[in-house]
Amino acid sequence: MLKRLGLIFGPVIVAVVAVIAGIMLMPEDNNKHDYQAEQRAANALTPIVFKNKTLKQRALSDKQHRFVPFFGSSEWSRMDTFHPSVLAEGYHRSYRPFLLGQRGAQSLTQYFGMQQITKQLTNKQAVYVISPQWFVKHGEDPNAFKYYFNQAQALTWLQHAKGTTADRYAAKRLLAMNVSSSLNGYLRRIADGKKLTANDQGWISMKLRFLNHEDSLFSDMQLGNNYTKRVLPKTANLPKAYNETKLNALADKYAAEHTKSNQFGIDDKFYQQRVAKQLGKLRGSQRQFNYLQSPEYGDLQLALQQFAATHTNVLFVIQPVNEKWAAYTGLDMKMYDQTVAKIKSQLTTQGFTNIADFSQSGDKQYFMQDTIHMGWRGWLAFDKRVNHFLTTPQSTPTYHMQDKYYGHDWMMATSVN
């Protein structure tokens, strides 16, 4: 019987071992630069690219072409003629956005994603979009976090965890997200302020080596075609030379053509697909929303901690809300303004003073494409601030991090005083 089983399963076991050995022995090659492939990755907006280490490292380390990480959420998928990727391509900017965002991704996802590109962030610049809507009672949705989570990110982080306040907080948040039972023992040690053992580190290194080789092996299989289908063609619509007046007029024209079906200034397609059928139910639906008390403030602090550690000069962009829609749904704009003030206080008191605050622009015509995302005129205002930040000399920031922002008192505070 044992001989028969060996004959049946032996070749399978040998094949599996061979595959694992092949992956482990294959060299990690992140240095092959192909500009077209890097552009495809930078604009792919797929979960696979979002989680892939090799693709991000390859583009962000390309010395011939300057890719800049643009951290955010679902706003990057609004690829109209005035999208930052289209404008950067159309006007041959000295940089190209590498879009790092997905629907439902927030600061905790971004923090662990940063673990894959710390070298590429060191002494560089970045853009980080913050949406006040992230700061809900329970913070990031665990299902969204697990969908975008890559175990290699956590293992890389564990290799460098020292038991600091930030490390303990991050470990507790990962445990709360229940991402992987195989990591829980290590996470509990860090959460308790303990160091990992030599055996722990040995296992982590071996597992990480396998995952990184696997990441490299499959890196070029899911690049998507946004660059060739949604970015390049739209550059033909732009004025040949950058002209703010002409661009704003063109934005008004396009926006007027695409907002004929509703009184909110929302893109017609979005309105018909996402709003119209349940419009009555949505009246007053946001009266009880509160963004002032949330673990998201602690998660944001993790991202800030990482930027400080890598000496990254960051432009933070605060998105507005569509004020006509806010009035219809009953969103408390005083609460919203207090939320923005709290976010900005957390940034500025620690030296993060480059802030493009568009929170008061939600009532401007054609600034918003839908209920919570910029478009048309909004993208142009965004681009003006971002382009200036990335193409003119900037002073080197001095960061002074404060552990109080991981505390319950701050996360539950309803004012900045």
Side-chain angles (χ1 to χ4, degrees):
M1 179 63 70
L2 290 174
K3 186 176 180 180
R4 288 181 180 178
L5 289 174
L7 290 172
I8 295 171
F9 294 106
V12 176
I13 294 171
V14 171
V16 171
V17 171
V19 170
I20 294 173
I23 291 174
M24 292 292 285
L25 293 172
M26 181 178 294
E28 291 182 49
D29 187 358
N30 299 337
N31 297 315
K32 290 184 178 180
H33 295 294
D34 178 337
Y35 181 60
Q36 295 300 313
E38 289 168 359
Q39 277 282 42
R40 288 171 61 203
N43 294 281
L45 291 173
T46 64
I48 291 176
V49 173
F50 189 39
K51 295 187 287 187
N52 187 275
K53 169 189 171 183
T54 302
L55 293 170
K56 289 181 285 192
Q57 287 188 349
R58 190 179 292 167
L60 296 174
S61 62
D62 189 340
K63 295 181 179 180
Q64 300 300 316
H65 304 95
R66 183 190 176 200
F67 285 91
V68 177
F70 278 44
F71 299 96
S73 189
S74 56
E75 62 280 332
W76 305 133
S77 64
R78 273 67 181 169
M79 283 187 167
D80 63 19
T81 297
F82 313 100
H83 187 279
S85 292
V86 177
L87 293 173
E89 182 70 21
Y91 292 117
H92 309 291
R93 300 271 170 75
S94 61
Y95 63 89
R96 294 294 186 274
F98 196 109
L99 306 174
L100 294 170
Q102 292 282 299
R103 181 182 180 184
Q106 299 178 192
S107 290
L108 194 63
T109 289
Q110 296 292 8
Y111 171 71
F112 281 101
M114 288 177 198
Q115 306 312 306
Q116 300 173 311
I117 54 172
T118 54
K119 183 178 179 180
Q120 289 73 32
L121 287 173
T122 300
N123 298 317
K124 299 292 182 62
Q125 290 180 297
V127 175
Y128 196 99
V129 174
I130 299 176
S131 295
Q133 294 80 12
W134 293 354
F135 296 78
V136 293
K137 182 177 181 181
H138 299 293
E140 185 166 353
D141 183 346
N143 291 322
F145 181 84
K146 283 186 275 191
Y147 186 65
Y148 302 127
F149 175 73
N150 181 337
Q151 191 177 82
Q153 298 169 354
L155 292 171
T156 302
W157 171 77
L158 281 168
Q159 284 188 318
H160 304 285
K162 306 296 185 186
T164 63
T165 300
D167 290 339
R168 295 198 299 273
Y169 175 85
K172 290 174 183 176
R173 291 292 285 147
L174 266 186
L175 285 167
M177 292 293 169
N178 193 28
V179 290
S180 172
S181 58
S182 65
L183 297 177
N184 287 350
Y186 309 118
L187 295 175
R188 290 192 188 100
R189 290 185 67 85
I190 299 299
D192 291 338
K194 300 176 182 177
K195 293 183 178 180
L196 299 181
T197 67
N199 286 338
D200 292 338
Q201 289 291 2
W203 184 91
I204 288 169
S205 295
M206 182 179 66
K207 177 68 173 177
L208 185 57
R209 180 176 174 80
F210 175 82
L211 291 176
N212 284 341
H213 278 80
E214 186 180 50
D215 178 284
S216 181
L217 179 64
F218 298 107
S219 62
D220 295 321
M221 295 185 179
Q222 295 289 336
L223 291 183
N225 54 16
N226 279 341
Y227 177 62
T228 54
K229 289 191 174 183
R230 300 180 66 191
V231 174
L232 279 178
K234 290 182 172 65
T235 61
N237 301 329
L238 298 170
K240 289 186 178 181
Y242 182 89
N243 182 293
E244 191 173 340
T245 301
K246 289 182 179 180
L247 282 167
N248 280 319
L250 186 62
D252 289 348
K253 177 177 178 292
Y254 283 7
E257 291 172 353
H258 289 87
T259 55
K260 295 179 179 179
S261 65
N262 61 91
Q263 71 271 34
F264 305 108
I266 296 173
D267 176 78
D268 291 326
K269 185 177 180 180
F270 181 93
Y271 181 78
Q272 295 299 333
Q273 292 180 349
R274 304 281 293 275
V275 178
K277 293 180 181 179
Q278 51 182 340
L279 182 62
K281 296 180 181 179
L282 293 171
R283 184 189 292 274
S285 60
Q286 297 184 347
R287 286 196 189 100
Q288 303 303 317
F289 281 20
N290 181 5
Y291 306 141
L292 284 166
Q293 298 176 313
S294 173
E296 185 66 29
Y297 291 98
D299 296 350
L300 172 61
Q301 185 65 14
L302 284 176
L304 302 184
Q305 196 89 36
Q306 187 59 62
F307 286 138
T310 51
H311 308 286
T312 310
N313 197 352
V314 189
L315 175 66
F316 293 89
V317 180
I318 299 178
Q319 288 215 79
V321 294
N322 183 323
E323 289 201 11
K324 290 181 179 178
W325 182 250
Y328 182 81
T329 57
L331 182 69
D332 183 348
M333 292 306 293
K334 181 179 179 181
M335 175 276 300
Y336 173 83
D337 291 341
Q338 290 172 330
T339 299
V340 172
K342 185 174 177 179
I343 294 168
K344 290 173 70 175
S345 176
Q346 185 169 337
L347 294 173
T348 57
T349 55
Q350 299 180 97
F352 297 92
T353 56
N354 293 312
I355 303 172
D357 179 8
F358 294 116
S359 62
Q360 302 304 307
S361 299
D363 62 342
K364 294 180 180 178
Q365 189 175 35
Y366 304 141
F367 202 91
M368 307 297 295
Q369 189 185 75
D370 54 42
T371 58
I372 58 173
H373 296 107
M374 293 185 290
W376 304 303
R377 283 253 183 171
W379 274 141
L380 290 175
F382 173 97
D383 175 75
K384 186 176 180 179
R385 292 293 301 274
V386 169
N387 184 46
H388 177 78
F389 174 73
L390 294 177
T391 60
T392 60
Q394 301 290 324
S395 59
T396 302
T398 300
Y399 301 132
H400 30 88
M401 308 309 294
Q402 301 177 39
D403 286 346
K404 74 173 186 178
Y405 293 115
Y406 293 115
H408 181 270
D409 288 348
W410 173 254
M411 286 186 273
M412 295 297 107
T414 56
S415 70
V416 297
N417 297 323

